[in-house]
Amino acid sequence: GGGAAASAADRPAAPRRLLPGQARPSGPPRSCPGRDRPRPLANDYDVVRLYHRDAGRYRDHPLFDRVETTGPVKRLRAPIHHVPFLDWAGLVAKENAYSSFQAEAAKPRPMWKLRARLLVEFPFVFLKGYFARGHVLGGWDGLIFATVIAFARWLRIAKMIEAAKARKRAAEAARLAATVAAKEAEEREAKKTLEAKRQFANEALRECVGIVE
């Protein structure tokens, strides 16, 4: 429930400034399901999370969603604890959808490079996230989070391979269709030529019969 929203005239003018919170790579300090705050020693960095739409907007990029500002930026006094998912199923679904989007937006790469990355992507991303980014300090939740993220990055490579195979099949189908169309055109042209020769022979025969008569 609640009362009706105030009219535009009753609302005070929104400040033309952006207010960023503290954040970690890929967002503010993340809280895992069942926790009300981030793990110990969560890495933070400045990123815009609270802003007025007249003063900023997400940049036009297919993969990296960052807010571009047109006004001064100030820091909130308290950190923002980012809760991007409510449970592990939500994280898996989010990363699955995002990996599909990344695979579609990525530039085509040689198949041998993709297959080579398929071998090393999961362990490399897991070790980087679990140790270098400190998820080892998050206990079992940190282990689960690092594993899900590593699998999502590995799945992106698998989907890129799948897309490359699909493009190859489509190209082969297009070439086959072009070959069939060209052959059919040649057959039609050959039939026209044969029909023209028959007509020429019939006319020559009629002329010969007329001379004899």
Side-chain angles (χ1 to χ4, degrees), residues 10 32 106 140 167 180 195 206-207:
D10 297 331
C32 293
W140 292 109
R167 287 192 297 268
V180 171
E195 184 63 25
R206 284 196 294 268
E207 290 179 358

Side-chain angles (χ1 to χ4, degrees), residues 66-78:
R66 289 290 182 266
V67 176
E68 294 180 335
T69 66
T70 59
V73 177
K74 293 187 177 181
R75 183 192 298 272
L76 293 175
R77 293 182 178 179

Side-chain angles (χ1 to χ4, degrees), residues 77-199:
R77 293 182 178 179
I80 295 177
H81 294 164
H82 187 38
V83 184
F85 52 93
L86 299 179
D87 50 31
W88 296 119
L91 175 62
V92 170
K94 176 181 178 180
E95 294 298 329
N96 181 46
Y98 188 53
S99 65
S100 297
F101 180 70
Q102 287 181 314
E104 293 174 0
K107 297 179 180 179
R109 290 178 172 81
M111 183 63 73
W112 69 269
K113 288 186 178 181
L114 293 176
R115 287 173 175 166
R117 289 189 61 181
L118 197 65
L119 296 174
V120 300
E121 192 79 5
F122 183 91
F124 175 77
V125 175
F126 174 79
L127 293 174
K128 180 180 178 181
Y130 194 59
F131 293 105
R133 292 188 175 177
H135 290 297
V136 64
L137 301 176
W140 292 109
D141 288 337
L143 175 64
I144 296 171
F145 183 84
T147 302
V148 171
I149 296 302
F151 174 73
R153 299 299 182 270
W154 179 89
L155 187 60
R156 179 192 61 174
I157 303 301
K159 291 178 179 180
M160 291 175 66
I161 292 176
E162 182 182 41
K165 290 181 177 179
R167 287 192 297 268
K168 183 178 179 180
R169 289 194 298 269
E172 291 175 351
R175 286 195 297 269
L176 179 60
T179 301
V180 171
K183 188 174 182 179
E184 290 177 348
E186 290 177 358
E187 290 177 353
R188 289 193 297 268
E189 189 66 25
K191 288 180 180 180
K192 290 180 180 179
T193 302
L194 181 60
E195 184 63 25
K197 290 181 178 180
R198 287 177 181 176
Q199 292 179 359

